[in-house]
Amino acid sequence: MTKENKKVLFQEEQEELLNKLKTRFEKNMNRHEGLDWKQIQTKLEGNPEKLASLYKMEKTEGEPDVVGYDKEQDEYIFVDCSKESPKGRRSICYDRAALESRKKHKPENNAIDMAAEIGIEMLTEEQYRELQKLGTFDTKTSTWVKTPDDIRKLGGAVFCDFRFGRVFLYHNGADSYYGSRGFRGMLRV
């Protein structure tokens, strides 16, 4: 089993990750007002597979942080909060079908498969817009978002970015990829 595919972390990796997450949490209190880090840490320590997913989010430079709490499900919501689209998840097309349809210059991977490998969900357009209320993200990059089935069936995929003081939603062929486009994910713990 490779380090990237493992389901639990070594103790040292877990401690390092928890310290990074705590520091980020304390530095960005506007993202999670009213939440207590000790409760979050306890929840994380009880979910080693979720910690492994957060580790992968961190390793691909997503800078995950808590952005909410779902009382009904008793789950903390982590989202990639890197200023720009995570560097380790760029230059990818939308999904496996798009990747396989490319005749030349195939990218190394696709957003849907990468999200599954990491153990996260891609953000929807609505979730992306909510994230933008917590800061300014993707002013130089763009982010694939979960594409509605009717658009995907026609060969398209959608992405968002933040320009001119607002969020824009665009479309492209699902097989397109750019060095400045990646994806953001969400993890519920």
Side-chain angles (χ1 to χ4, degrees):
M1 179 181 309
T2 67
K3 190 174 186 177
E4 289 74 33
N5 292 331
K6 68 183 180 175
K7 300 284 187 200
V8 294
L9 302 177
F10 296 118
Q11 185 64 34
E12 182 180 299
E13 292 169 326
Q14 179 176 320
E15 288 172 12
E16 181 183 328
L17 176 62
L18 287 171
N19 285 334
K20 278 185 183 179
L21 293 172
K22 179 182 181 189
T23 299
R24 188 173 296 131
F25 180 88
E26 291 171 346
K27 197 178 200 179
N28 298 284
M29 292 305 292
N30 64 304
R31 295 179 185 160
H32 34 253
E33 290 179 20
L35 297 182
D36 178 14
W37 174 253
K38 288 180 184 176
Q39 292 175 336
I40 296 167
Q41 183 169 338
T42 299
K43 187 90 162 177
L44 289 170
E45 290 171 342
N47 287 279
E49 288 187 16
K50 302 283 183 154
L51 263 175
S53 291
L54 283 167
Y55 181 82
K56 293 172 192 173
M57 291 171 82
E58 188 68 35
K59 285 297 179 189
T60 54
E61 301 183 51
E63 300 178 22
D65 197 7
V66 180
V67 299
Y69 176 69
D70 181 338
K71 288 180 186 176
E72 198 172 291
Q73 299 296 318
D74 186 29
E75 294 175 326
Y76 293 98
I77 302 164
F78 285 81
V79 171
D80 290 304
C81 291
S82 54
K83 186 89 174 129
E84 302 298 337
S85 190
K87 286 183 185 177
R89 298 186 227 151
R90 294 185 195 165
S91 295
I92 55 173
C93 59
Y94 182 74
D95 61 12
R96 170 124 339 251
L99 179 65
E100 291 175 356
S101 74
R102 288 194 66 93
K103 303 284 187 251
K104 296 182 193 175
H105 311 294
K106 290 186 179 201
E108 290 185 29
N109 211 336
N110 68 83
I112 297 291
D113 287 352
M114 282 186 83
E117 289 164 12
I118 295 170
I120 58 178
E121 298 173 38
M122 283 181 58
L123 296 184
T124 64
E125 176 189 355
E126 294 74 23
Q127 290 164 336
Y128 185 87
R129 289 181 185 281
E130 286 300 311
L131 174 64
Q132 290 288 359
K133 293 176 183 176
L134 301 176
T136 302
F137 305 94
D138 292 327
T139 61
K140 298 174 186 165
T141 59
S142 60
T143 294
W144 287 117
V145 293
K146 193 165 172 126
T147 298
D149 290 340
D150 58 334
I151 293 173
R152 186 62 197 98
K153 285 177 185 171
L154 296 172
V158 294
F159 63 96
C160 294
D161 63 22
F162 189 85
R163 305 288 195 274
F164 308 107
R166 67 186 322 155
V167 174
F168 286 90
L169 173 72
Y170 307 89
H171 62 88
N172 243 146
D175 64 343
S176 67
Y177 68 98
Y178 300 92
S180 61
R181 183 172 310 143
F183 75 94
R184 294 176 185 274
M186 178 179 69
L187 179 70
R188 298 172 78 90
V189 182

